[in-house]
Amino acid sequence: MLSVGENIAKKRKKKLLTLEQLGLEVGLTRMQIHRIEKGYNITLTTLLKVAIVLGVKPESLLKTNFHFKHEDLESLVNESKANVK
C-alpha cells in the first residue's frame, strides 16, 4: 500500500494540488488523503475517484517495484485458507 500512496503523492504534487484540494475533489478530508499517501488502506472506489481527479489511469497508481515469487503467493493463499478453518 505504501507504493500506491507514494504514487498518489507524486501525481498530486505534479498537478500542484494540496492534500486539502485533492481531498475536496475526492470527498475526503486532508487527513484521510495524508493517511492514504502514507500507505493506509484505500478502497477501490476512492482509488478510482483519485485517478479521475489526477487525470491518470487507476493502474498507474497501483504500479510497484515489489516482485512476488509464485511460491510466495501460494504460501500466502494457503495460510489464509488455514486461518479461515
Side-chain angles (χ1 to χ4, degrees), residues 6 9 23 26 29 34 44 49 51 62 65 70-73 81:
E6 289 171 348
V26 174
T29 66
H34 173 74
L44 181 56
K49 288 178 183 179
L62 296 172
N65 291 329
H70 185 72
E71 301 84 38
D72 293 338
L73 292 175
K81 286 181 185 177

Side-chain angles (χ1 to χ4, degrees), residues 4-64:
V4 173
E6 289 171 348
N7 291 338
I8 291 170
K10 286 177 191 172
K11 294 184 186 309
R12 174 183 60 79
K13 291 173 184 176
K14 186 175 181 179
K15 289 202 62 129
L16 304 175
L17 292 172
T18 65
L19 290 167
E20 187 171 10
Q21 289 169 326
L22 179 57
L24 285 171
E25 291 291 325
V26 174
L28 299 174
T29 66
R30 178 192 63 79
M31 184 53 83
Q32 288 170 309
I33 297 295
H34 173 74
R35 290 174 56 85
I36 289 168
E37 289 185 358
K38 292 300 177 193
Y40 285 82
N41 284 338
I42 182 173
T43 66
L44 181 56
T45 301
T46 299
L47 181 79
L48 294 172
K49 288 178 183 179
V50 169
I52 289 167
V53 171
L54 296 177
V56 299
K57 293 182 179 183
E59 58 266 26
S60 72
L61 300 176
L62 296 172
K63 289 185 181 176
T64 179

